[in-house]
Amino acid sequence: MVVEILAVGTEILLGNIVNSNAQYLSRKCAALGFSVYHHSVVGDNENRMTDAIRCALDRSDIIILTGGLGPTEDDMTKEVCAKVMGFELAEDPHTRQRIEEYFKATGRKKVTSNNWKQAVVPVGARVLDNDNGTAPGLIMEKDGKTAVLLPGPPGELKPLFTEQVAPYLRSLQPEVIYSQMVKVCGIGESGAETMILDLIDAQTNPTIATYAKTGEVHLRVTAKAESEEQAKKLVKPVVKELKKRFGINIYSTDEEERLEDVVVRLLKKYGLTLTTAESMTGGMLAGRIINVPGASKCFQEGFITYSNKSKRKTLDVNKSTLKKYGAVSEQTAKEMAKGGVFATDSDICVAVTGFAGPEDTPEEPKGLVYIACYIKDQVFVKEFHFTGNRMKIREQTVVQALDLLRRCIIECYKNEK
Amino acid sequence: MVVEILAVGTEILLGNIVNSNAQYLSRKCAALGFSVYHHSVVGDNENRMTDAIRCALDRSDIIILTGGLGPTEDDMTKEVCAKVMGFELAEDPHTRQRIEEYFKATGRKKVTSNNWKQAVVPVGARVLDNDNGTAPGLIMEKDGKTAVLLPGPPGELKPLFTEQVAPYLRSLQPEVIYSQMVKVCGIGESGAETMILDLIDAQTNPTIATYAKTGEVHLRVTAKAESEEQAKKLVKPVVKELKKRFGINIYSTDEEERLEDVVVRLLKKYGLTLTTAESMTGGMLAGRIINVPGASKCFQEGFITYSNKSKRKTLDVNKSTLKKYGAVSEQTAKEMAKGGVFATDSDICVAVTGFAGPEDTPEEPKGLVYIACYIKDQVFVKEFHFTGNRMKIREQTVVQALDLLRRCIIECYKNEK
């Protein structure tokens, strides 16, 4: 079945915001086994919206409309869509009550009268309760065509989609789609594809799709079957084969788990504390770790040692090391990592030093980065040559530092429980 | 005149990438005075692309197509658009030569034969030389309609647009559009709008548009006139009035300058050094400052002091202060800032401490943040109550810390040259 995504919003057409809802919905629909052939964006204009909805209903089975469900006069997605599809509108007492409760819960005393516009729904439509706002989602079915209306703010759209729209869409599919994510770090996209070329070439059901992210490759294994159980059965041996081929390079098989989540999970598992000593990433590495809820249990302190002086004073890097090998060297990275552990009494320190540019000279080659990890009285160090601009080099460095940390913890603590 | 943006790419329909080109082009077209009523996305499929181009040419004056200009068989935007508009195709010797030179310059020895497909252009089209890739941009005009074709990679599309397409589009407009940006920090969007409601209500030419960003409001003043000189003359008094009303809350009138750029510019101007002492932002503040090229001159060291122990040891915060007032308090923030200056011999230290959540209790109210700035033997501190999730609270904190820094430097050094 073919799904089409139609966003309503002048702010998208003016370029004030990017249409990230379309990306989110496309990815979700693809994972559910639907084909998406068109995205469109139209403004808050009745004639153009009417044409756009007609055109979308004509060429697709299901249209998902986002935005334009608010309380102002400009918001007319529901009204226009109901008119095009031939639905009457009437106030829904249940929705009115929910809006009242929502305002009470959020402490708003005055409810302006235009808010009750959001309680009006097409007669016969399914109303999807919105826990994060006042505009409900709507599903309208007629003559074999379906329109799904969702509010524009991603904080409202996403929970409505996963909790109510996805199960509905799944029920329309004759087959069940099941997919499993395998997240790899430490191998490039083309390298990863080469490692599984035979699997990709031979695939029919399940299929393997690869997605490149900064420093990572995500592999999605998707199967179609008559039941979820059967689909899972098809996926399982392929995931097993991927685990065999990629081994420790796989950091997670959980859709939502990020690299920093894995690091914090491992630190907690073994009761370890961590510190960071950053030069060219300047706090970005610590920032990603600290963004994991509960990270404070294992991360107590970090250092941003940009100057040589601070590397010496705070991390006790030898003056002679800096002079002989330079601030960007294997030796300095190692001493930074060791110094971080000794300065804080942490179990582990990960240290980064490198050239992020924009300068690029033979003496200071842009993209040369050393990452060291001091753990269990040993120090591991890796050399990298990254490409891209200043920000890109720093992002890749952060990913590789997290990954080195992950590998070192697993390697050094795998025999402990 | 009406412009429509039509992106070609299966990767957008699958949700692998977000259609950021549409946002970029929309913003640019709006600034040039064009109306954008539709965005569309279509895959690499001849029939659907034909329909999409026909529909776009029918309802708009100018269509900008992005993507699908590469060397593979899938890439067919040029071929389909030429067919729809009735253009013949032929190899362009100039473009072929440029492709040869491009491969030579980038060190590629083998050029696969399909690359020469990119030298084939519609006869009569304007060819826009692409300095960052092998696919040239194209402008095709026929029967009062125009199609502009641009390669999909933003690194190729953006320079082609600013250097060649924007001047072309400007030449089609009977009037010149000139706009000036005014960037405000420290006032919310609705507060800023209230301050200029009379100006907004009275506006015809120039107009003032407001855009909310995390912790910031951007105001764009745009005028239309017969010449750029006249348009500038219209904009000038409005910008002057905004400067009068917003005063020090304006951090820049430069389109490209970010808050951290202003901070680094001010530090360099007065020859000052800075350190950071971060608790709940965990390195994000330092990370933003260090991302400014040349920041190393004024930023040498920073601290991430998450635990009370590290606040005491590294920043010399009094044990009794932490006990009496807690880690998230005005007093602790002040002592952190002072301690940062003394630990590093820097001229300035900005310190942040707060509750980012996800917990939210009466003892640890989520969103309560203190930011302190120690400068010229004085310490300034501000209390904030932010809303939103963990990441949002931390982002707002970083913006406000940069802004406090900016205000303190200006206030304390304004009489120095």
Side-chain angles (χ1 to χ4, degrees):
Chain A
M1 273 200 279
V2 177
V3 172
E4 172 153 356
I5 295 157
L6 175 54
V8 177
T10 306
E11 65 278 22
I12 304 174
L13 295 175
L14 285 170
N16 294 345
I17 57 169
V18 69
N19 190 5
S20 61
N21 285 338
Q23 181 185 23
Y24 172 83
L25 293 169
S26 288
R27 208 165 33 196
K28 292 287 176 186
C29 288
L32 289 164
F34 290 89
S35 301
V36 177
Y37 292 151
H38 293 93
H39 289 180
S40 327
V41 183
V42 72
D44 308 292
N45 171 287
E46 189 172 342
N47 290 336
R48 286 193 289 271
M49 207 190 295
T50 301
D51 289 345
I53 293 172
R54 276 214 185 105
C55 170
L57 284 172
D58 191 46
R59 66 190 175 189
S60 304
D61 303 303
I62 300 161
I63 63 171
I64 304 180
L65 290 117
T66 64
L69 299 181
T72 74
E73 261 186 59
D74 277 355
D75 296 303
M76 56 176 91
T77 306
K78 177 177 62 191
E79 290 77 2
V80 175
C81 192
K83 201 170 162 188
V84 171
M85 294 181 77
F87 279 80
E88 296 289 317
L89 292 168
E91 186 172 284
D92 176 34
H94 166 75
T95 301
R96 188 178 170 111
Q97 197 191 331
R98 282 189 60 90
I99 295 174
E100 273 168 16
E101 282 163 9
Y102 184 87
F103 280 122
K104 211 181 273 171
T106 52
R108 273 227 266 170
K109 284 191 189 117
K110 271 192 194 164
V111 181
T112 52
S113 62
N114 58 4
N115 274 295
W116 305 123
K117 177 170 176 286
Q118 297 183 303
V120 174
V121 305
V123 179
R126 283 191 204 206
V127 178
L128 312 176
D129 290 345
N130 177 359
D131 291 331
N132 303 289
T134 47
L138 296 163
I139 298 178
M140 294 150 77
E141 293 171 323
K142 199 162 206 175
D143 305 331
K145 301 281 179 172
T146 302
V148 179
L149 279 65
L150 293 172
E156 302 179 32
L157 176 139
K158 289 181 182 181
L160 274 169
F161 187 87
T162 45
E163 289 158 24
Q164 300 185 68
V165 181
Y168 167 79
L169 291 177
R170 211 174 279 125
S171 75
L172 301 181
Q173 288 280 49
E175 287 181 314
V176 172
I177 305 286
Y178 176 79
S179 79
Q180 165 96 50
M181 184 62 107
V182 176
K183 296 182 180 179
V184 169
C185 193
I187 299 176
E189 193 187 17
S190 63
E193 277 183 355
T194 309
M195 283 170 71
I196 53 167
L197 213 57
D198 56 321
L199 301 179
I200 292 177
D201 281 348
Q203 71 185 6
T204 48
N205 185 27
T207 55
I208 308 172
T210 62
Y211 307 92
K213 301 195 67 179
T214 302
E216 305 182 17
V217 182
H218 294 185
L219 308 161
R220 183 185 288 284
V221 183
T222 307
K224 291 187 188 195
E226 272 177 29
S227 71
E228 185 167 318
E229 203 188 347
Q230 281 178 293
K232 277 186 181 171
K233 235 183 224 165
L234 289 168
V235 165
K236 209 176 162 187
V238 178
V239 171
K240 199 177 160 190
E241 181 62 27
L242 292 177
K243 282 185 178 171
K244 203 175 115 192
R245 296 199 188 185
F246 289 105
I248 194 176
N249 297 300
I250 296 173
Y251 73 82
S252 185
T253 53
D254 177 340
E255 189 85 32
E256 302 300 328
E257 199 173 43
R258 300 159 301 177
L259 200 44
E260 55 267 37
D261 297 317
V262 176
V263 168
V264 171
R265 175 164 59 73
L266 289 169
L267 290 170
K268 281 184 180 165
K269 180 178 175 186
Y270 298 114
L272 301 170
T273 55
L274 169 72
T275 188
T276 50
E278 301 180 62
S279 183
M280 41 79 82
T281 48
M284 279 172 67
L285 171 57
R288 263 187 70 173
I289 294 167
I290 287 185
N291 204 37
V292 179
S296 59
K297 283 187 185 61
C298 25
F299 187 92
Q300 283 152 21
E301 186 168 17
F303 303 100
I304 301 155
T305 52
Y306 216 56
S307 67
N308 280 355
K309 192 180 143 195
S310 67
K311 289 185 186 76
R312 290 216 315 272
K313 206 186 63 175
T314 308
L315 301 173
D316 205 26
V317 174
N318 271 308
K319 201 173 173 175
S320 63
T321 305
L322 289 166
K323 206 175 163 190
K324 193 168 167 194
Y325 301 104
V328 178
S329 63
E330 194 181 310
Q331 289 80 4
T332 298
K334 280 181 174 178
E335 289 189 24
M336 285 171 72
K338 190 176 173 185
V341 162
F342 281 76
T344 59
D345 245 345
S346 299
D347 297 304
I348 307 171
C349 177
V350 60
V352 296
T353 180
F355 299 115
E359 302 80 24
D360 186 16
T361 61
E363 296 77 38
E364 303 195 352
K366 192 174 96 168
L368 174 66
V369 173
Y370 293 91
I371 307 177
C373 181
Y374 191 94
I375 181 169
K376 265 201 173 176
D377 296 327
Q378 301 164 73
V379 58
F380 300 88
V381 65
K382 274 180 96 168
E383 181 182 312
F384 296 91
H385 299 266
F386 296 123
T387 54
N389 65 18
R390 190 175 167 86
M391 197 59 190
K392 201 84 194 154
I393 288 170
R394 296 171 75 211
E395 282 172 359
Q396 292 174 85
T397 303
V398 169
V399 170
Q400 294 303 332
L402 290 169
D403 193 46
L404 179 64
L405 205 45
R406 176 184 73 84
R407 289 166 193 262
C408 288
I409 300 170
I410 293 172
E411 194 51 48
C412 294
Y413 287 87
K414 64 184 171 195
N415 298 323
E416 306 190 13
K417 53 169 184 178
Chain B
M1 273 200 277
V2 177
V3 172
E4 172 153 358
I5 295 157
L6 175 54
V8 177
T10 305
E11 65 278 21
I12 303 174
L13 295 175
L14 285 170
N16 294 346
I17 57 168
V18 69
N19 189 5
S20 60
N21 285 338
Q23 181 184 23
Y24 172 83
L25 293 170
S26 288
R27 209 165 33 197
K28 291 288 176 185
C29 287
L32 288 165
F34 290 89
S35 300
V36 177
Y37 292 151
H38 294 93
H39 289 179
S40 329
V41 183
V42 73
D44 308 292
N45 170 288
E46 189 172 341
N47 291 335
R48 286 194 289 272
M49 207 191 294
T50 301
D51 289 344
I53 293 172
R54 276 214 185 103
C55 171
L57 283 171
D58 191 45
R59 65 192 176 189
S60 304
D61 304 303
I62 300 161
I63 62 171
I64 304 181
L65 290 117
T66 65
L69 299 182
T72 74
E73 260 185 60
D74 276 357
D75 296 301
M76 56 176 91
T77 306
K78 177 177 61 191
E79 291 78 1
V80 175
C81 192
K83 200 169 161 187
V84 171
M85 293 181 79
F87 279 79
E88 296 290 317
L89 292 167
E91 188 173 283
D92 176 35
H94 166 75
T95 301
R96 188 177 170 111
Q97 197 191 332
R98 282 188 60 89
I99 295 173
E100 273 168 15
E101 281 163 9
Y102 184 86
F103 280 121
K104 212 180 273 171
T106 52
R108 273 227 267 170
K109 285 192 187 116
K110 270 193 194 165
V111 180
T112 52
S113 62
N114 58 3
N115 274 295
W116 305 123
K117 178 171 176 287
Q118 297 184 304
V120 174
V121 305
V123 179
R126 284 190 204 206
V127 178
L128 312 175
D129 290 346
N130 177 0
D131 291 331
N132 304 287
T134 47
L138 296 164
I139 298 178
M140 293 149 76
E141 294 171 323
K142 199 162 204 174
D143 305 330
K145 300 281 178 172
T146 302
V148 179
L149 279 64
L150 293 171
E156 302 180 33
L157 177 139
K158 289 181 184 180
L160 274 170
F161 188 86
T162 44
E163 289 158 25
Q164 300 183 68
V165 181
Y168 167 79
L169 291 176
R170 210 174 279 125
S171 75
L172 301 181
Q173 288 281 50
E175 288 180 313
V176 171
I177 306 285
Y178 175 79
S179 79
Q180 164 96 47
M181 183 62 106
V182 176
K183 296 183 180 177
V184 169
C185 193
I187 299 176
E189 192 187 16
S190 63
E193 276 183 356
T194 309
M195 282 170 72
I196 54 168
L197 213 57
D198 56 321
L199 300 180
I200 291 176
D201 281 348
Q203 71 185 7
T204 48
N205 186 25
T207 55
I208 308 173
T210 63
Y211 308 92
K213 301 195 67 179
T214 303
E216 305 183 16
V217 181
H218 294 185
L219 308 161
R220 183 185 289 284
V221 183
T222 307
K224 291 187 188 192
E226 272 176 31
S227 71
E228 185 167 315
E229 202 188 348
Q230 280 178 295
K232 277 186 180 170
K233 234 182 222 166
L234 289 167
V235 165
K236 207 176 164 188
V238 178
V239 171
K240 197 176 162 191
E241 181 62 27
L242 292 177
K243 282 186 176 169
K244 202 175 117 193
R245 297 200 187 184
F246 289 105
I248 194 177
N249 297 300
I250 295 172
Y251 74 80
S252 186
T253 52
D254 177 339
E255 190 85 31
E256 302 300 328
E257 199 174 42
R258 300 159 303 177
L259 201 43
E260 56 267 38
D261 296 317
V262 175
V263 168
V264 171
R265 176 164 57 75
L266 288 169
L267 290 170
K268 281 184 180 165
K269 180 178 175 185
Y270 298 114
L272 301 169
T273 55
L274 168 73
T275 189
T276 51
E278 301 179 63
S279 182
M280 41 79 81
T281 48
M284 279 172 67
L285 171 57
R288 263 187 70 173
I289 294 166
I290 287 184
N291 204 37
V292 179
S296 59
K297 283 188 184 61
C298 24
F299 187 92
Q300 282 151 21
E301 185 168 18
F303 303 101
I304 301 156
T305 52
Y306 216 55
S307 68
N308 280 354
K309 193 180 142 194
S310 67
K311 288 185 185 78
R312 290 216 315 272
K313 206 186 63 176
T314 307
L315 301 173
D316 205 27
V317 174
N318 271 309
K319 201 174 173 177
S320 63
T321 305
L322 289 165
K323 206 175 164 191
K324 193 169 168 192
Y325 302 104
V328 178
S329 64
E330 193 182 311
Q331 289 79 4
T332 299
K334 280 181 175 178
E335 290 189 24
M336 285 171 73
K338 191 177 172 184
V341 162
F342 281 75
T344 58
D345 246 344
S346 299
D347 297 305
I348 308 173
C349 178
V350 60
V352 297
T353 180
F355 299 115
E359 302 81 23
D360 186 16
T361 63
E363 296 78 38
E364 302 194 353
K366 192 174 95 169
L368 174 66
V369 173
Y370 293 92
I371 307 177
C373 180
Y374 191 94
I375 181 170
K376 264 201 175 175
D377 297 325
Q378 301 164 71
V379 58
F380 300 88
V381 64
K382 276 180 95 168
E383 181 181 314
F384 296 91
H385 299 266
F386 297 124
T387 54
N389 65 18
R390 190 175 166 86
M391 197 60 191
K392 199 88 194 150
I393 288 171
R394 296 170 76 212
E395 281 173 358
Q396 293 174 85
T397 303
V398 169
V399 170
Q400 294 302 333
L402 290 169
D403 193 46
L404 179 64
L405 204 46
R406 176 185 72 86
R407 287 165 193 264
C408 288
I409 300 171
I410 292 172
E411 194 50 48
C412 293
Y413 287 87
K414 65 185 171 195
N415 297 324
E416 305 191 14
K417 52 171 183 178

